[in-house]
Amino acid sequence: AIFYVLVWLWTKKTTIGRYIFALGGSEEVCYISGVNVNFIRILVYVLSGAFTGLAGVFIFSRVLCGDPTSG
């Protein structure tokens, strides 16, 4: 719940968070508006991978075994 609130605040209150929402809406309009589309896209992929890894650690700590089919 803490991560959810932090990410929600980050996406609603910062410029990069608004850029992420704009990129999800239309990449071309984002590019025309002057947003560095490649940087934002890479940032979103890195954050997605980091949060997925964190979720994997939390699932592993709850189940106490590695189950590749748990997702």
Side-chain angles (χ1 to χ4, degrees), residues 45-70:
Y45 283 136
V46 167
L47 289 174
S48 176
F51 286 140
T52 301
L54 188 63
V57 169
F58 285 146
I59 288 175
F60 181 76
S61 70
R62 299 278 298 175
V63 179
L64 297 178
C65 67
D67 185 12
T69 61
S70 67

Side-chain angles (χ1 to χ4, degrees), residues 28-35:
E28 185 177 347
V29 172
C30 226
Y31 179 76
I32 292 170
S33 298
V35 175

Side-chain angles (χ1 to χ4, degrees), residues 3-69:
F3 289 117
Y4 176 79
V5 171
L6 289 175
V7 171
W8 181 80
L9 286 172
W10 183 64
T11 56
K12 293 293 182 184
K13 302 294 183 185
T14 64
T15 305
I16 292 179
R18 283 186 240 133
Y19 288 168
I20 291 170
F21 277 108
L23 184 64
S26 176
E27 180 178 332
E28 185 177 347
V29 172
C30 226
Y31 179 76
I32 292 170
S33 298
V35 175
N36 189 351
V37 173
N38 290 330
F39 172 74
I40 298 296
R41 186 183 304 138
I42 290 171
L43 177 69
V44 168
Y45 283 136
V46 167
L47 289 174
S48 176
F51 286 140
T52 301
L54 188 63
V57 169
F58 285 146
I59 288 175
F60 181 76
S61 70
R62 299 278 298 175
V63 179
L64 297 178
C65 67
D67 185 12
T69 61

